[in-house]
Amino acid sequence: MAKSSSVVALVASALPTSGTQYRLTSGGTGTPAASAYLQATRALAAWARPAGHAGLVHALVHLGWCSGSGARAIVRAANSAAFKHGGVHLEVGKPAAEQVVTILTALREAGAPEEQVATVWKTFTGA
């Protein structure tokens, strides 16, 4: 299979517009999807630390707490490690959906493992 056909397209309109947090779109704690998301973010973090891209992964984790509607549809500052270390990559007060695409694209461009990027996208979109 050609590499281009195995790369998942990242389009903000594919994200759900419900009030469910992106990280829970495919299932809550204890589900296979939640476990896959946790493993993917850990693998991305392990890849990112020595590569100097840990802030992008922290930003991605922060975005996982956002949703497609309601108060969580807009990125807000938070008193969390994810925001503390990844906030520099986020635009507070702006819609979260576009920022999910921006962060995942930046991870891809930095050489992040595609399997983990695709798993996070699948979790966030429910696809």
Side-chain angles (χ1 to χ4, degrees):
M1 180 186 300
K3 183 177 180 184
S4 63
S5 64
S6 65
V7 176
V8 177
L10 305 174
V11 182
S13 62
L15 290 160
T17 57
S18 70
T20 302
Q21 294 172 5
Y22 292 138
R23 66 189 181 86
L24 300 175
T25 300
S26 294
T29 304
T31 64
S35 178
Y37 169 70
L38 183 60
Q39 291 173 11
T41 55
R42 285 181 177 168
L44 283 170
W47 163 84
R49 275 185 217 102
H53 302 296
L56 289 170
V57 177
H58 282 288
L60 184 62
V61 169
H62 182 76
L63 290 167
W65 291 83
C66 296
S67 67
S69 68
R72 291 184 184 266
I74 303 299
V75 173
R76 300 192 189 293
N79 189 20
S80 68
F83 187 80
K84 178 182 175 185
H85 299 294
V88 67
H89 299 286
L90 299 170
E91 294 184 68
V92 173
K94 303 283 184 172
E98 292 85 2
Q99 294 187 62
V100 168
V101 172
T102 299
I103 296 297
L104 285 172
T105 299
L107 284 166
R108 269 187 177 161
E109 290 172 353
E114 182 59 32
E115 181 180 353
Q116 279 71 44
V117 170
T119 297
V120 171
W121 182 250
K122 183 178 178 182
T123 300
F124 284 12
T125 60

